[in-house]
mmCIF file of all heavy atoms in Angstrom:
data_model
loop_
_atom_site.group_PDB
_atom_site.id
_atom_site.type_symbol
_atom_site.label_atom_id
_atom_site.label_comp_id
_atom_site.label_asym_id
_atom_site.label_seq_id
_atom_site.Cartn_x
_atom_site.Cartn_y
_atom_site.Cartn_z
ATOM 1 N N GLN A 51 -6.551 41.950 27.267
ATOM 2 C CA GLN A 51 -5.580 43.035 27.466
ATOM 3 C C GLN A 51 -6.230 44.382 27.188
ATOM 4 O O GLN A 51 -6.038 45.344 27.925
ATOM 5 C CB GLN A 51 -4.360 42.865 26.534
ATOM 6 C CG GLN A 51 -3.628 41.549 26.643
ATOM 7 C CD GLN A 51 -3.300 41.149 28.060
ATOM 8 O OE1 GLN A 51 -2.632 41.883 28.777
ATOM 9 N NE2 GLN A 51 -3.793 39.981 28.475
ATOM 10 N N TYR A 61 -10.108 54.266 34.991
ATOM 11 C CA TYR A 61 -9.776 54.530 36.392
ATOM 12 C C TYR A 61 -8.854 55.741 36.513
ATOM 13 O O TYR A 61 -9.073 56.630 37.349
ATOM 14 C CB TYR A 61 -9.109 53.292 37.016
ATOM 15 C CG TYR A 61 -8.613 53.566 38.412
ATOM 16 C CD1 TYR A 61 -9.521 53.599 39.487
ATOM 17 C CD2 TYR A 61 -7.273 53.834 38.672
ATOM 18 C CE1 TYR A 61 -9.084 53.891 40.769
ATOM 19 C CE2 TYR A 61 -6.832 54.120 39.952
ATOM 20 C CZ TYR A 61 -7.743 54.149 40.992
ATOM 21 O OH TYR A 61 -7.326 54.437 42.254
ATOM 22 N N ARG A 72 -10.472 68.268 43.290
ATOM 23 C CA ARG A 72 -9.890 68.611 44.598
ATOM 24 C C ARG A 72 -9.087 69.911 44.509
ATOM 25 O O ARG A 72 -9.179 70.791 45.359
ATOM 26 C CB ARG A 72 -8.986 67.469 45.057
ATOM 27 C CG ARG A 72 -8.595 67.636 46.497
ATOM 28 C CD ARG A 72 -7.337 66.949 46.817
ATOM 29 N NE ARG A 72 -6.685 67.657 47.924
ATOM 30 C CZ ARG A 72 -5.540 67.308 48.435
ATOM 31 N NH1 ARG A 72 -4.886 66.298 47.940
ATOM 32 N NH2 ARG A 72 -5.020 67.977 49.426
ATOM 33 N N GLU A 89 -12.409 90.888 54.274
ATOM 34 C CA GLU A 89 -13.631 91.429 54.890
ATOM 35 C C GLU A 89 -13.411 91.670 56.385
ATOM 36 O O GLU A 89 -13.868 92.677 56.925
ATOM 37 C CB GLU A 89 -14.817 90.457 54.701
ATOM 38 C CG GLU A 89 -15.309 90.331 53.275
ATOM 39 C CD GLU A 89 -16.002 91.579 52.749
ATOM 40 O OE1 GLU A 89 -16.382 92.443 53.560
ATOM 41 O OE2 GLU A 89 -16.136 91.698 51.528
ATOM 42 N N TYR A 103 -23.030 101.727 67.015
ATOM 43 C CA TYR A 103 -24.333 101.191 66.624
ATOM 44 C C TYR A 103 -24.876 100.234 67.690
ATOM 45 O O TYR A 103 -26.061 100.279 68.027
ATOM 46 C CB TYR A 103 -24.186 100.465 65.282
ATOM 47 C CG TYR A 103 -25.464 99.832 64.793
ATOM 48 C CD1 TYR A 103 -26.478 100.601 64.248
ATOM 49 C CD2 TYR A 103 -25.661 98.461 64.879
ATOM 50 C CE1 TYR A 103 -27.654 100.027 63.803
ATOM 51 C CE2 TYR A 103 -26.826 97.876 64.446
ATOM 52 C CZ TYR A 103 -27.819 98.664 63.903
ATOM 53 O OH TYR A 103 -28.985 98.086 63.478
ATOM 54 N N ASN A 108 -28.735 98.917 71.808
ATOM 55 C CA ASN A 108 -28.953 98.450 73.178
ATOM 56 C C ASN A 108 -29.785 99.453 73.971
ATOM 57 O O ASN A 108 -30.765 99.090 74.629
ATOM 58 C CB ASN A 108 -27.606 98.201 73.845
ATOM 59 C CG ASN A 108 -27.749 97.883 75.314
ATOM 60 O OD1 ASN A 108 -27.454 98.721 76.153
ATOM 61 N ND2 ASN A 108 -28.240 96.704 75.634
ATOM 62 N N LYS A 109 -29.416 100.711 73.882
ATOM 63 C CA LYS A 109 -30.139 101.741 74.652
ATOM 64 C C LYS A 109 -31.568 101.906 74.110
ATOM 65 O O LYS A 109 -32.499 102.111 74.884
ATOM 66 C CB LYS A 109 -29.396 103.080 74.594
ATOM 67 C CG LYS A 109 -28.004 103.026 75.170
ATOM 68 C CD LYS A 109 -27.883 103.670 76.519
ATOM 69 C CE LYS A 109 -26.490 103.468 77.070
ATOM 70 N NZ LYS A 109 -26.336 103.809 78.438
ATOM 71 N N ASP A 115 -38.279 98.782 76.159
ATOM 72 C CA ASP A 115 -38.738 97.985 77.312
ATOM 73 C C ASP A 115 -39.412 98.889 78.334
ATOM 74 O O ASP A 115 -40.483 98.568 78.866
ATOM 75 C CB ASP A 115 -37.553 97.284 78.010
ATOM 76 C CG ASP A 115 -36.952 96.190 77.160
ATOM 77 O OD1 ASP A 115 -37.600 95.804 76.176
ATOM 78 O OD2 ASP A 115 -35.847 95.723 77.482
ATOM 79 N N GLU A 118 -42.782 100.246 77.156
ATOM 80 C CA GLU A 118 -43.835 99.219 77.154
ATOM 81 C C GLU A 118 -44.311 98.907 78.568
ATOM 82 O O GLU A 118 -45.483 98.618 78.793
ATOM 83 C CB GLU A 118 -43.306 97.934 76.512
ATOM 84 C CG GLU A 118 -43.346 97.996 75.002
ATOM 85 C CD GLU A 118 -42.640 96.829 74.357
ATOM 86 O OE1 GLU A 118 -42.294 95.853 75.052
ATOM 87 O OE2 GLU A 118 -42.424 96.898 73.130
ATOM 88 N N ARG A 120 -43.921 100.845 81.462
ATOM 89 C CA ARG A 120 -44.210 101.904 82.433
ATOM 90 C C ARG A 120 -45.719 102.135 82.599
ATOM 91 O O ARG A 120 -46.497 102.020 81.646
ATOM 92 C CB ARG A 120 -43.517 103.208 82.037
ATOM 93 C CG ARG A 120 -44.250 103.996 80.976
ATOM 94 C CD ARG A 120 -43.676 105.375 80.876
ATOM 95 N NE ARG A 120 -44.248 106.082 79.737
ATOM 96 C CZ ARG A 120 -43.829 107.258 79.337
ATOM 97 N NH1 ARG A 120 -42.849 107.866 79.942
ATOM 98 N NH2 ARG A 120 -44.389 107.846 78.301
ATOM 99 N N GLN A 123 -48.545 107.026 85.592
ATOM 100 C CA GLN A 123 -49.002 107.357 86.952
ATOM 101 C C GLN A 123 -49.979 108.522 86.969
ATOM 102 O O GLN A 123 -50.971 108.496 87.686
ATOM 103 C CB GLN A 123 -47.796 107.690 87.839
ATOM 104 C CG GLN A 123 -46.802 106.577 87.972
ATOM 105 C CD GLN A 123 -47.399 105.343 88.607
ATOM 106 O OE1 GLN A 123 -48.470 105.391 89.187
ATOM 107 N NE2 GLN A 123 -46.721 104.241 88.476
ATOM 108 N N TYR A 131 -59.339 109.129 90.546
ATOM 109 C CA TYR A 131 -60.021 110.230 91.206
ATOM 110 C C TYR A 131 -61.313 110.585 90.465
ATOM 111 O O TYR A 131 -62.368 110.763 91.073
ATOM 112 C CB TYR A 131 -59.090 111.449 91.271
ATOM 113 C CG TYR A 131 -59.773 112.641 91.864
ATOM 114 C CD1 TYR A 131 -59.950 112.728 93.245
ATOM 115 C CD2 TYR A 131 -60.272 113.657 91.059
ATOM 116 C CE1 TYR A 131 -60.605 113.802 93.796
ATOM 117 C CE2 TYR A 131 -60.923 114.732 91.609
ATOM 118 C CZ TYR A 131 -61.090 114.809 92.977
ATOM 119 O OH TYR A 131 -61.744 115.862 93.524
ATOM 120 N N GLU A 136 -68.862 112.110 93.372
ATOM 121 C CA GLU A 136 -68.418 113.425 93.848
ATOM 122 C C GLU A 136 -68.390 113.549 95.366
ATOM 123 O O GLU A 136 -67.592 114.287 95.924
ATOM 124 C CB GLU A 136 -69.306 114.510 93.250
ATOM 125 C CG GLU A 136 -69.047 114.681 91.760
ATOM 126 C CD GLU A 136 -69.624 115.967 91.213
ATOM 127 O OE1 GLU A 136 -70.367 116.633 91.946
ATOM 128 O OE2 GLU A 136 -69.319 116.276 90.050
ATOM 129 N N ILE A 140 -61.058 110.729 99.078
ATOM 130 C CA ILE A 140 -59.947 109.798 99.314
ATOM 131 C C ILE A 140 -59.098 110.402 100.427
ATOM 132 O O ILE A 140 -58.717 111.567 100.349
ATOM 133 C CB ILE A 140 -59.074 109.636 98.055
ATOM 134 C CG1 ILE A 140 -59.922 109.200 96.857
ATOM 135 C CG2 ILE A 140 -57.963 108.620 98.287
ATOM 136 C CD1 ILE A 140 -59.157 109.185 95.540
ATOM 137 N N LYS A 142 -56.477 108.464 101.762
ATOM 138 C CA LYS A 142 -55.162 107.809 101.718
ATOM 139 C C LYS A 142 -55.076 106.953 100.444
ATOM 140 O O LYS A 142 -56.026 106.229 100.111
ATOM 141 C CB LYS A 142 -55.010 106.922 102.959
ATOM 142 C CG LYS A 142 -53.644 106.291 103.131
ATOM 143 C CD LYS A 142 -53.591 105.612 104.492
ATOM 144 C CE LYS A 142 -52.434 104.697 104.711
ATOM 145 N NZ LYS A 142 -51.180 104.962 104.112
ATOM 146 N N VAL A 143 -53.984 107.082 99.755
ATOM 147 C CA VAL A 143 -53.728 106.211 98.588
ATOM 148 C C VAL A 143 -52.318 105.655 98.723
ATOM 149 O O VAL A 143 -51.372 106.417 98.912
ATOM 150 C CB VAL A 143 -53.795 106.987 97.239
ATOM 151 C CG1 VAL A 143 -53.553 106.042 96.071
ATOM 152 C CG2 VAL A 143 -55.098 107.706 97.061
ATOM 153 N N TYR A 145 -49.834 103.332 96.470
ATOM 154 C CA TYR A 145 -49.682 102.658 95.172
ATOM 155 C C TYR A 145 -48.442 101.773 95.176
ATOM 156 O O TYR A 145 -47.380 102.184 95.640
ATOM 157 C CB TYR A 145 -49.588 103.685 94.045
ATOM 158 C CG TYR A 145 -49.306 103.049 92.704
ATOM 159 C CD1 TYR A 145 -50.285 102.342 92.030
ATOM 160 C CD2 TYR A 145 -48.040 103.125 92.127
ATOM 161 C CE1 TYR A 145 -50.029 101.739 90.813
ATOM 162 C CE2 TYR A 145 -47.765 102.525 90.914
ATOM 163 C CZ TYR A 145 -48.770 101.831 90.261
ATOM 164 O OH TYR A 145 -48.505 101.221 89.067
ATOM 165 N N ASP A 147 -46.253 99.647 92.473
ATOM 166 C CA ASP A 147 -46.101 99.423 91.031
ATOM 167 C C ASP A 147 -45.941 97.947 90.688
ATOM 168 O O ASP A 147 -46.335 97.506 89.617
ATOM 169 C CB ASP A 147 -44.877 100.205 90.528
ATOM 170 C CG ASP A 147 -44.844 100.274 89.017
ATOM 171 O OD1 ASP A 147 -45.876 100.656 88.429
ATOM 172 O OD2 ASP A 147 -43.817 99.918 88.425
ATOM 173 N N TYR A 152 -53.786 100.122 93.866
ATOM 174 C CA TYR A 152 -54.023 101.322 94.672
ATOM 175 C C TYR A 152 -54.790 100.875 95.920
ATOM 176 O O TYR A 152 -55.906 100.361 95.801
ATOM 177 C CB TYR A 152 -54.879 102.336 93.904
ATOM 178 C CG TYR A 152 -54.155 102.956 92.737
ATOM 179 C CD1 TYR A 152 -54.216 102.373 91.476
ATOM 180 C CD2 TYR A 152 -53.421 104.117 92.888
ATOM 181 C CE1 TYR A 152 -53.559 102.928 90.402
ATOM 182 C CE2 TYR A 152 -52.754 104.689 91.816
ATOM 183 C CZ TYR A 152 -52.827 104.089 90.580
ATOM 184 O OH TYR A 152 -52.173 104.643 89.509
ATOM 185 N N THR B 24 -2.272 35.861 29.427
ATOM 186 C CA THR B 24 -3.531 36.590 29.225
ATOM 187 C C THR B 24 -3.957 37.304 30.497
ATOM 188 O O THR B 24 -4.451 38.423 30.453
ATOM 189 C CB THR B 24 -4.657 35.600 28.807
ATOM 190 O OG1 THR B 24 -4.207 34.874 27.695
ATOM 191 C CG2 THR B 24 -5.953 36.334 28.490
ATOM 192 N N PHE B 27 -1.694 40.920 32.990
ATOM 193 C CA PHE B 27 -1.965 42.358 32.948
ATOM 194 C C PHE B 27 -3.283 42.730 33.670
ATOM 195 O O PHE B 27 -3.297 43.640 34.516
ATOM 196 C CB PHE B 27 -1.965 42.827 31.490
ATOM 197 C CG PHE B 27 -2.190 44.293 31.343
ATOM 198 C CD1 PHE B 27 -1.326 45.220 31.942
ATOM 199 C CD2 PHE B 27 -3.275 44.770 30.624
ATOM 200 C CE1 PHE B 27 -1.542 46.566 31.808
ATOM 201 C CE2 PHE B 27 -3.503 46.129 30.506
ATOM 202 C CZ PHE B 27 -2.630 47.034 31.098
ATOM 203 N N SER B 38 -4.976 51.437 44.720
ATOM 204 C CA SER B 38 -5.079 52.881 44.498
ATOM 205 C C SER B 38 -6.413 53.430 45.008
ATOM 206 O O SER B 38 -6.479 54.531 45.548
ATOM 207 C CB SER B 38 -4.924 53.145 43.005
ATOM 208 O OG SER B 38 -5.309 54.437 42.698
ATOM 209 N N GLN B 46 -8.915 60.859 48.587
ATOM 210 C CA GLN B 46 -9.119 62.084 47.804
ATOM 211 C C GLN B 46 -10.590 62.492 47.803
ATOM 212 O O GLN B 46 -10.930 63.670 47.950
ATOM 213 C CB GLN B 46 -8.667 61.865 46.352
ATOM 214 C CG GLN B 46 -7.172 61.779 46.178
ATOM 215 C CD GLN B 46 -6.464 63.075 46.558
ATOM 216 O OE1 GLN B 46 -6.970 64.164 46.326
ATOM 217 N NE2 GLN B 46 -5.308 62.960 47.183
ATOM 218 N N ARG B 71 -20.490 94.245 56.510
ATOM 219 C CA ARG B 71 -19.659 95.384 56.079
ATOM 220 C C ARG B 71 -20.504 96.411 55.329
ATOM 221 O O ARG B 71 -20.438 97.611 55.604
ATOM 222 C CB ARG B 71 -18.513 94.883 55.176
ATOM 223 C CG ARG B 71 -17.667 96.006 54.611
ATOM 224 C CD ARG B 71 -16.583 95.521 53.677
ATOM 225 N NE ARG B 71 -17.023 94.651 52.609
ATOM 226 C CZ ARG B 71 -17.636 95.053 51.496
ATOM 227 N NH1 ARG B 71 -17.891 96.325 51.305
ATOM 228 N NH2 ARG B 71 -17.996 94.173 50.574
ATOM 229 N N ILE B 93 -30.873 107.356 79.105
ATOM 230 C CA ILE B 93 -30.404 106.195 79.879
ATOM 231 C C ILE B 93 -28.880 106.334 80.006
ATOM 232 O O ILE B 93 -28.131 105.818 79.175
ATOM 233 C CB ILE B 93 -30.777 104.857 79.193
ATOM 234 C CG1 ILE B 93 -32.265 104.828 78.854
ATOM 235 C CG2 ILE B 93 -30.424 103.669 80.082
ATOM 236 C CD1 ILE B 93 -32.671 103.701 77.933
ATOM 237 N N SER B 95 -24.908 106.037 81.021
ATOM 238 C CA SER B 95 -24.042 104.868 81.227
ATOM 239 C C SER B 95 -23.376 104.888 82.598
ATOM 240 O O SER B 95 -22.713 103.936 82.970
ATOM 241 C CB SER B 95 -22.960 104.815 80.147
ATOM 242 O OG SER B 95 -23.567 104.568 78.914
ATOM 243 N N GLY B 148 -25.322 96.620 79.510
ATOM 244 C CA GLY B 148 -26.387 96.469 78.521
ATOM 245 C C GLY B 148 -27.753 96.223 79.113
ATOM 246 O O GLY B 148 -28.719 96.019 78.385
ATOM 247 N N GLU B 174 -42.732 111.554 84.273
ATOM 248 C CA GLU B 174 -42.911 110.638 83.140
ATOM 249 C C GLU B 174 -42.087 111.039 81.931
ATOM 250 O O GLU B 174 -41.737 110.206 81.104
ATOM 251 C CB GLU B 174 -44.388 110.544 82.750
ATOM 252 C CG GLU B 174 -45.132 109.571 83.635
ATOM 253 C CD GLU B 174 -46.630 109.578 83.422
ATOM 254 O OE1 GLU B 174 -47.094 110.116 82.405
ATOM 255 O OE2 GLU B 174 -47.350 109.057 84.298
ATOM 256 N N ASN B 183 -42.320 104.117 91.433
ATOM 257 C CA ASN B 183 -42.447 102.697 91.788
ATOM 258 C C ASN B 183 -43.537 102.493 92.827
ATOM 259 O O ASN B 183 -44.043 101.395 93.001
ATOM 260 C CB ASN B 183 -41.097 102.190 92.312
ATOM 261 C CG ASN B 183 -40.987 100.712 92.236
ATOM 262 O OD1 ASN B 183 -41.591 100.085 91.365
ATOM 263 N ND2 ASN B 183 -40.244 100.132 93.151
ATOM 264 N N TYR B 185 -46.183 104.999 95.842
ATOM 265 C CA TYR B 185 -46.325 106.221 96.641
ATOM 266 C C TYR B 185 -47.374 106.027 97.714
ATOM 267 O O TYR B 185 -48.228 105.147 97.629
ATOM 268 C CB TYR B 185 -46.639 107.453 95.771
ATOM 269 C CG TYR B 185 -47.847 107.340 94.884
ATOM 270 C CD1 TYR B 185 -49.120 107.616 95.357
ATOM 271 C CD2 TYR B 185 -47.695 106.979 93.546
ATOM 272 C CE1 TYR B 185 -50.216 107.527 94.518
ATOM 273 C CE2 TYR B 185 -48.789 106.881 92.708
ATOM 274 C CZ TYR B 185 -50.050 107.165 93.202
ATOM 275 O OH TYR B 185 -51.121 107.064 92.382
ATOM 276 N N ASP B 186 -47.252 106.855 98.696
ATOM 277 C CA ASP B 186 -48.168 106.813 99.833
ATOM 278 C C ASP B 186 -48.672 108.235 100.017
ATOM 279 O O ASP B 186 -47.912 109.128 100.370
ATOM 280 C CB ASP B 186 -47.368 106.360 101.069
ATOM 281 C CG ASP B 186 -48.264 105.678 102.062
ATOM 282 O OD1 ASP B 186 -49.475 105.928 102.004
ATOM 283 O OD2 ASP B 186 -47.746 104.917 102.901
ATOM 284 N N LEU B 187 -49.941 108.414 99.747
ATOM 285 C CA LEU B 187 -50.497 109.768 99.720
ATOM 286 C C LEU B 187 -51.509 109.902 100.854
ATOM 287 O O LEU B 187 -52.411 109.062 100.978
ATOM 288 C CB LEU B 187 -51.143 109.934 98.354
ATOM 289 C CG LEU B 187 -51.726 111.254 97.893
ATOM 290 C CD1 LEU B 187 -51.676 111.310 96.373
ATOM 291 C CD2 LEU B 187 -53.167 111.379 98.341
ATOM 292 N N LEU B 191 -58.445 114.148 99.873
ATOM 293 C CA LEU B 191 -58.368 114.330 98.420
ATOM 294 C C LEU B 191 -59.761 114.238 97.822
ATOM 295 O O LEU B 191 -60.392 113.192 97.820
ATOM 296 C CB LEU B 191 -57.463 113.228 97.833
ATOM 297 C CG LEU B 191 -57.355 113.110 96.339
ATOM 298 C CD1 LEU B 191 -56.878 114.399 95.721
ATOM 299 C CD2 LEU B 191 -56.406 111.983 95.990
ATOM 300 N N ALA B 194 -66.799 118.036 96.586
ATOM 301 C CA ALA B 194 -68.018 117.927 95.791
ATOM 302 C C ALA B 194 -67.845 118.615 94.434
ATOM 303 O O ALA B 194 -68.375 118.168 93.440
ATOM 304 C CB ALA B 194 -69.181 118.541 96.558
ATOM 305 N N LYS B 196 -64.937 118.978 92.819
ATOM 306 C CA LYS B 196 -63.701 118.526 92.180
ATOM 307 C C LYS B 196 -62.802 119.723 91.895
ATOM 308 O O LYS B 196 -62.462 120.064 90.754
ATOM 309 C CB LYS B 196 -63.960 117.739 90.903
ATOM 310 C CG LYS B 196 -64.690 116.455 91.178
ATOM 311 C CD LYS B 196 -64.426 115.412 90.136
ATOM 312 C CE LYS B 196 -65.000 114.097 90.599
ATOM 313 N NZ LYS B 196 -64.771 113.007 89.719
ATOM 314 N N TRP B 198 -59.868 120.304 92.254
ATOM 315 C CA TRP B 198 -58.503 120.168 91.758
ATOM 316 C C TRP B 198 -58.388 120.641 90.318
ATOM 317 O O TRP B 198 -57.359 121.120 89.878
ATOM 318 C CB TRP B 198 -57.996 118.737 91.891
ATOM 319 C CG TRP B 198 -58.614 117.782 90.932
ATOM 320 C CD1 TRP B 198 -59.757 117.100 91.083
ATOM 321 C CD2 TRP B 198 -58.098 117.436 89.656
ATOM 322 N NE1 TRP B 198 -60.007 116.352 89.987
ATOM 323 C CE2 TRP B 198 -58.998 116.537 89.092
ATOM 324 C CE3 TRP B 198 -56.963 117.804 88.931
ATOM 325 C CZ2 TRP B 198 -58.801 115.993 87.847
ATOM 326 C CZ3 TRP B 198 -56.781 117.256 87.684
ATOM 327 C CH2 TRP B 198 -57.699 116.355 87.153
ATOM 328 N N ILE B 235 -31.485 97.023 64.142
ATOM 329 C CA ILE B 235 -32.476 97.703 64.990
ATOM 330 C C ILE B 235 -33.876 97.283 64.546
ATOM 331 O O ILE B 235 -34.171 97.220 63.349
ATOM 332 C CB ILE B 235 -32.257 99.234 64.935
ATOM 333 C CG1 ILE B 235 -32.973 99.916 66.081
ATOM 334 C CG2 ILE B 235 -32.647 99.837 63.597
ATOM 335 C CD1 ILE B 235 -32.389 101.262 66.444
ATOM 336 N N ARG B 238 -39.601 98.006 66.756
ATOM 337 C CA ARG B 238 -39.974 98.351 68.136
ATOM 338 C C ARG B 238 -38.977 99.364 68.706
ATOM 339 O O ARG B 238 -39.360 100.348 69.340
ATOM 340 C CB ARG B 238 -39.975 97.052 68.949
ATOM 341 C CG ARG B 238 -40.148 97.173 70.409
ATOM 342 C CD ARG B 238 -40.128 95.772 71.011
ATOM 343 N NE ARG B 238 -39.961 95.820 72.442
ATOM 344 C CZ ARG B 238 -38.787 95.831 73.073
ATOM 345 N NH1 ARG B 238 -37.671 95.796 72.372
ATOM 346 N NH2 ARG B 238 -38.732 95.868 74.382
#
Side-chain angles (χ1 to χ4, degrees):
Chain A
Q51 304 311 302
Y61 174 77
R72 192 204 152 181
E89 291 291 344
Y103 178 76
N108 173 255
K109 299 255 175 191
D115 291 346
E118 279 171 11
R120 81 167 172 187
Q123 300 298 345
Y131 176 78
E136 289 195 351
I140 305 173
K142 186 172 167 33
V143 181
Y145 175 73
D147 193 51
Y152 291 90
Chain B
T24 306
F27 182 59
S38 166
Q46 288 297 324
R71 176 183 52 78
I93 309 168
S95 293
E174 278 172 15
N183 200 29
Y185 56 84
D186 207 338
L187 186 153
L191 173 57
K196 295 206 171 182
W198 72 274
I235 197 156
R238 172 180 166 271

